[in-house]
Amino acid sequence: MTSQPNTGPDSAAQDMSPAEIQAVIDRILSKEAPARKASPATGEPKSVLGKAQAISRPDEEHSNYDGDQQDLEERHALRRTGSLSTELEDVTEVEYRQLRLERVVLAGLWTEGTLADAENSLRELAALAETAGSEVLDGIVQRRQKPDPGTFLGSGKAQELKDIVMSTGADTVVVDAELAPSQRRSLEDIVKVKVIDRTALILDIFAQHAKSREGKAQVELAQLEYLLPRLRGWGDSMSRQAGGQVGGAGAGMGSRGPGETKIELDRRRIRTRMAKLRREIAAMKPARETKRANRRRNAVPSVAIAGYTNAGKSSLLNRLTDAGVLVENALFATLDPTVRKAETSDGLGYTLADTVGFVRSLPTQLVEAFRSTLEEIADSDLILHVVDVSHPDPEGQIAAVRKVFSEVDARKVPEIIVLNKADAADPFVIERLKQREPRHIVVSARTGEGIPELLKAISEGIPRPSVKLELMIPYNRGDLLNKLHETDAEILSLDHEETGTRAVVMVREGLAAELDSFISND
């Protein structure tokens, strides 16, 4: 190589003192924003990655309604830090590997729709990868009519992906689809690093965030269902087990015959564990059904908060009930359903249930494993369908959520579209969705905009007491009057007379039978 003389602006460096040069170097090194990687094919930097583009990042993620958020501090304390390393200089030591964040490259196919749809899907994949604790370095989108049956991307694009992996120093490739076991193996053979698909990434996030006993069992069942057809044999894993009366292969009687390979043993153990988990989840189901039965017996209206992941469901629940549920600007931050009691402005009680978020191409294993949880939506009297209007494709989110509603038989439940994050959204997008969805409320869970209108819509949408009674309640039965002031009755008028209190009320059928002997015949 031949050195070139400094010309233009670079020649000014010759007139700078050593202290000034060091100051410039320190200023450059202190910059936190990493430079974007360039595509080997075009030389242009990619613009489809990054958390700021993948998910909304408001200036303040939490409000006073979110509480202390101690669970969030605990979760952050357990995450790895990318700048820390335990690599030892002496590689003869047993522990010499690095403890660091996974560095990933994304790959997706554009088979249908527009290029914007393909890029939005890749942005979402980047947000999923960051939520799982990895660092996204680069990504590619390929235009194909259908995936390649061998390597998913095709041999040429797979080789280009290998070049990107080598140039960026990535250790993992994440594919924006569910790969067949053969496609995953073939792609790993080319890129020479670990390859995972979208389903495995979502399952990993669920495994990190599940906290309750039922949630952990549901996630483990979904992971085992995904893993079973993808087991691979390595070395001794394919060796056959001796049977009969001896403990080792090739030892005479009892060891002859094909035997059973270790991978077959692993499959059997997985099936046994899956059967046990299904029994455990089935045993947990009656407890949830009993709680729902109690609410139905007491005629307590139920409202389910559902929607796309990171649409702001937990923030909305905190705003409406001061529940203090964990709130994080990440996908699938909360998995376990939370039920809180609330009241309308006129004192009518109802329950609010926060449910697990949905996503495009939600793995079928998760839908089946979380079916008992998703039944909260199907059994509710009203659904608050929360939509992130600051997202690049809110219509796609609505379609993905309603697809899951159909799978859990929840389309018959009345639905209110809650257009959340209005403070960070384009007014044109809000107006477009308002024209498309006739029953809507525009809110911002962070600022409180539209919350009174939402509470009014909930009050009008839940079932109300339907039996009108005129009662004469003696003064020595204050317990009945107190019951009328509770959340299962609506008092229209109260008049205190000589013989007792005359009340005109709207009550539910169960309470009407209890008050039958106090009905006034005047």
Side-chain angles (χ1 to χ4, degrees), residues 48-61:
V48 298
L49 302 179
K51 183 179 290 186
Q53 296 171 336
I55 53 180
S56 167
R57 295 186 68 182
D59 295 334
E60 298 179 5
E61 291 185 8

Side-chain angles (χ1 to χ4, degrees), residues 335-346:
L335 301 182
D336 302 318
T338 303
V339 181
R340 291 291 185 269
K341 186 178 180 181
E343 289 187 8
T344 62
S345 58
D346 55 356

Side-chain angles (χ1 to χ4, degrees), residues 293-331:
N294 288 335
R295 293 196 294 266
R296 284 194 294 266
R297 183 172 60 252
N298 297 325
V300 178
S302 60
V303 179
I305 303 177
Y308 211 79
T309 180
N310 203 48
K313 300 182 295 299
S314 298
S315 298
L316 187 63
L317 179 67
N318 290 342
R319 171 68 69 165
L320 295 176
T321 65
D322 295 335
V325 177
L326 182 144
V327 172
E328 184 181 11
N329 187 27
L331 276 62

Side-chain angles (χ1 to χ4, degrees), residues 12 260 500:
E260 187 178 29

Side-chain angles (χ1 to χ4, degrees), residues 80-87 96-102:
R80 293 170 292 175
T81 304
S83 60
L84 297 182
S85 172
T86 58
E87 185 177 14
Y96 64 88
R97 60 185 180 273
Q98 286 187 342
L99 176 63
R100 63 180 183 184
L101 297 174
E102 288 182 286

